[in-house]
Amino acid sequence: METLSSRTVIYWLGYFGLAMLIIMLNILPLQTVPPEFFSMNAVSLESNATTMFGLVFAVLKSFLADFVLSLVSTPNVLLAFTCAWVLRKPEYVPVMLIGAVFLLADFLLQRPPGLYAAVVIIGTEFLRRRVMELRGAPFLVEYLTVAGVIFAIAIMYRIFSSVAVITPPDFWLLFLQAVSTIVIYPLVVFVTQAVFGIRSVMPGQLDEGRGRL
Amino acid sequence: MYFRPLRRLLAGVTFMLLVGIFLLWRIDSPRVERLRADLTDRFVPNFEWAMAPVTGTVNIAKDFQSYQQVYEQNQQLRRELQQMKAWKEAALQLEQQNAQLRDLNNVRLDPKLTHVTGVVLADSGSPFRQSVLLNVGARDGIMDGWATMDGVGLVGRISGIGGETSRVILLTDSHSRIPVTIQPSGQRAIIAGDNAASPLIEFLEDPDMVRPGDRVVSSGDGGVFPAGLLVGQIAQGPDQRLRVRLAADYERMKFLRILRKQPNAPITDTGAMLAPALSSQTGAGIIPLQDSQ
């Protein structure tokens, strides 16, 4: 490892702490009722849906409420942060750290251990190789790339769990999770830059402790 | 500079390691699940100091939201209270009658069915699984498979125990299957969670004999749960499939009680004689023989 500065180590710890915070917020016992997205359930719809208009209104309202709720509760914030950090300062989130953090998340969030982590490693390594190309590119380009990677991660996860003959996660739920993760990505980027002060090193800029790129 | 062979190697090694752990889990699931329980046991109780205030704040916000509906609810409750008073009278009479009959019959309720109460520490953390973590574990003598209830109805079963924590798979989880009886008709069925708020009813012999509103209780088939625990009521979805509206309040899960269950005495051999044990020191069949000589 070249120039293993104390700053880098602090950011490693920061990433780990952030990950633990996100996992902790996830497992807070707030949502013990399963979210209902596309599975129309009788029990939530039966109330005062006597007229056609009332029915349509009830469906729309519950759908909207579900959608908003899903945006709050389902996105994989950890994945969004990891992508944002990898694209800005790859040395702050080494592969092994990502692997360890997602393995721990797998264990704590009741996923098959290692599978999601391995898929995330594939995704983030793909991003890591494009750091130089995306540096200085407009944000839209980065956004589309990350969106592609997040979808690819969801699809690979689904395929691999089918291949390994374990009960695959619900398709719509995975899709919704990918979409909501992509939706919150700009916010995550903003927090990464504003709060953590992690910005890409632009060509020609001085990289701290390492001199000109 | 990020394409250096060392980095590639590191990524490869990490990837293989993770896949290795996954394969190990796939092959030897119980041992890795044990590790999962231990990890949860190590990490989650440490979060508790941080979790309590956050949970409290969010719950206060939720309560504020619900103030809007309070007036409406109040009116409704008044109406219901009127009906309930009549029911209460009937219930009291029945209770007295029941007590008298019990007395006549010398019925003793099962003393083995005691319970341990636990506090909900955490939920599963993702919409893909439905489970909660309790703050009681192997230390308190909890065992896999025990039934878990809130004050009213069945909530789920214990699956996965650490030293100080244990996980409850809720009835709504897509892996949950519980044998039940549907009350007035006495039909047997399985309720199968599908990650929706009300689990499905499967393997019902005669759906015509079941109406929405029927009571669903655990049947005790397969020795999974004690019989007669309230699960909920039948409800019919717009797709005409029967579901169970659960009696337990899944929205406010705070304290859960875990029913202790002693396993039935296992029958190990096919048909030995019921006789006192024969051994050289205490064998009841041998000593009289020696005395007679």
Side-chain angles (χ1 to χ4, degrees):
Chain A
M1 287 280 165
E2 79 278 39
T3 63
L4 184 64
S5 63
S6 62
R7 192 183 164 81
T8 312
V9 174
I10 287 173
Y11 271 100
W12 289 357
L13 292 178
Y15 176 72
F16 187 76
L18 179 71
M20 293 312 287
L21 182 76
I22 292 170
I23 294 174
M24 190 201 85
L25 289 178
N26 268 332
I27 64 175
L28 281 184
L30 297 174
Q31 201 175 13
T32 40
V33 183
E36 289 166 24
F37 306 118
F38 297 96
S39 63
M40 282 294 180
N41 208 327
V43 190
S44 63
L45 277 182
E46 66 187 350
S47 60
N48 55 39
T50 43
T51 62
M52 193 61 203
F53 177 74
L55 182 71
V56 171
F57 185 69
V59 169
L60 261 183
K61 198 175 140 195
S62 80
F63 183 78
L64 265 181
D66 285 349
F67 191 70
V68 171
L69 185 77
S70 72
L71 287 189
V72 178
S73 66
T74 55
N76 196 336
V77 188
L78 186 55
L79 180 61
F81 265 107
T82 308
C83 290
W85 285 42
V86 163
L87 283 179
R88 278 169 185 69
K89 285 284 168 67
E91 65 269 27
Y92 288 171
V93 273
V95 185
M96 296 219 117
L97 187 59
I98 297 181
V101 160
F102 274 86
L103 182 65
L104 190 62
D106 280 350
F107 271 118
L108 292 181
L109 299 182
Q110 307 298 302
R111 286 191 292 246
L115 182 57
Y116 193 69
V119 173
V120 166
I121 291 288
I122 298 179
T124 53
E125 281 308 291
F126 177 85
L127 286 179
R128 208 184 284 269
R129 297 200 176 177
R130 271 148 196 79
V131 167
M132 297 303 265
E133 299 162 30
L134 289 172
R135 194 163 275 174
F139 178 69
L140 190 66
V141 177
E142 178 198 329
Y143 194 33
L144 289 178
T145 314
V146 169
V149 166
I150 289 173
F151 265 118
I153 285 176
I155 290 167
M156 280 193 285
Y157 181 49
R158 167 84 192 193
I159 289 175
F160 285 160
S161 35
S162 305
V163 168
V165 208
I166 50 181
T167 324
D170 185 39
F171 181 78
W172 279 115
L173 221 49
L174 264 181
F175 176 75
L176 209 69
Q177 187 174 48
V179 169
S180 58
T181 309
I182 291 166
V183 167
I184 62 153
Y185 183 71
L187 184 71
V188 166
V189 167
F190 176 75
V191 173
T192 302
Q193 297 193 343
V195 180
F196 296 99
I198 297 178
R199 290 190 171 74
S200 319
V201 183
M202 288 302 160
Q205 233 176 0
L206 280 179
D207 194 7
E208 65 278 331
R210 198 181 300 161
R212 192 171 286 272
L213 276 170
Chain B
M1 74 191 245
Y2 298 111
F3 304 100
R4 299 180 356 159
L6 179 66
R7 283 182 192 269
R8 253 188 205 190
L9 185 70
L10 218 58
V13 167
T14 315
F15 180 76
M16 292 317 290
L17 214 63
L18 292 169
V19 171
I21 291 173
F22 174 65
L23 289 180
L24 185 69
W25 173 80
R26 195 71 195 85
I27 294 161
D28 187 11
S29 183
R31 204 165 301 198
V32 182
E33 287 298 332
R34 188 78 232 146
L35 177 70
R36 188 203 294 271
D38 285 345
L39 267 176
T40 316
D41 207 31
R42 185 78 44 85
F43 274 91
V44 178
N46 291 343
F47 288 160
E48 206 172 359
W49 59 269
M51 283 169 145
V54 179
T55 319
T57 317
V58 175
N59 279 338
I60 287 172
K62 269 189 186 166
D63 287 347
F64 264 112
Q65 278 181 353
S66 68
Y67 273 130
Q68 308 165 355
Q69 306 154 3
V70 163
Y71 175 74
E72 215 175 297
Q73 214 171 20
N74 203 351
Q75 295 297 319
Q76 198 185 344
L77 286 178
R78 268 169 215 272
R79 281 196 299 274
E80 276 179 21
L81 189 65
Q82 286 299 325
Q83 296 172 351
M84 286 304 151
K85 273 181 184 160
W87 278 110
K88 188 188 164 197
E89 207 51 47
L92 279 177
Q93 285 174 13
L94 279 177
E95 193 191 0
Q96 281 179 4
Q97 194 183 5
N98 210 348
Q100 285 168 358
L101 290 175
R102 282 236 167 85
D103 211 23
L104 284 175
N105 272 345
N106 258 337
V107 174
R108 204 157 51 96
L109 293 180
D110 194 352
K112 287 178 182 166
L113 219 60
T114 57
H115 63 258
V116 188
T117 303
V119 178
V120 173
L121 280 185
D123 66 10
S124 64
S126 77
F128 298 99
R129 306 297 300 274
Q130 302 298 325
S131 67
V132 293
L133 197 74
L134 300 181
N135 70 341
V136 288
R139 189 191 52 181
D140 309 276
I142 307 295
M143 283 164 69
D144 257 330
W146 283 0
T148 311
M149 306 182 72
D150 74 348
V152 186
L154 197 63
V155 163
R157 67 186 294 198
I158 300 284
S159 167
I161 300 166
E164 297 168 27
T165 55
S166 54
R167 187 164 290 281
V168 180
I169 299 291
L170 303 180
L171 297 181
T172 48
D173 187 273
S174 55
H175 293 78
S176 162
R177 301 283 183 277
I178 304 292
V180 293
T181 311
I182 298 166
Q183 238 351 312
S185 58
Q187 293 226 53
R188 304 281 165 115
I190 300 273
I191 60 168
D194 59 348
N195 276 351
S198 348
L200 275 172
I201 292 197
E202 286 183 350
F203 302 110
L204 186 62
E205 198 171 309
D206 187 2
D208 292 337
M209 289 174 67
V210 173
R211 283 197 197 85
D214 285 0
R215 273 162 46 90
V216 179
V217 296
S218 69
S219 69
D221 283 341
V224 183
F225 281 166
L229 306 176
L230 178 63
V231 177
Q233 286 186 332
I234 300 275
Q236 197 163 30
D239 51 354
Q240 304 302 313
R241 296 168 84 180
L242 293 172
R243 290 176 176 272
V244 183
R245 192 190 314 207
L246 297 166
D249 188 1
Y250 275 55
E251 302 245 6
R252 297 183 199 286
M253 241 183 242
K254 179 81 179 134
F255 299 100
L256 294 181
R257 58 173 65 152
I258 303 154
L259 302 186
R260 271 205 195 92
K261 186 181 164 222
Q262 266 70 24
N264 297 335
I267 301 172
T268 47
D269 49 4
T270 45
M273 261 213 293
L274 292 174
L278 293 176
S279 75
S280 53
Q281 284 112 31
T282 58
I286 298 173
I287 295 165
L289 207 79
Q290 287 170 338
D291 283 351
S292 68
Q293 283 177 346

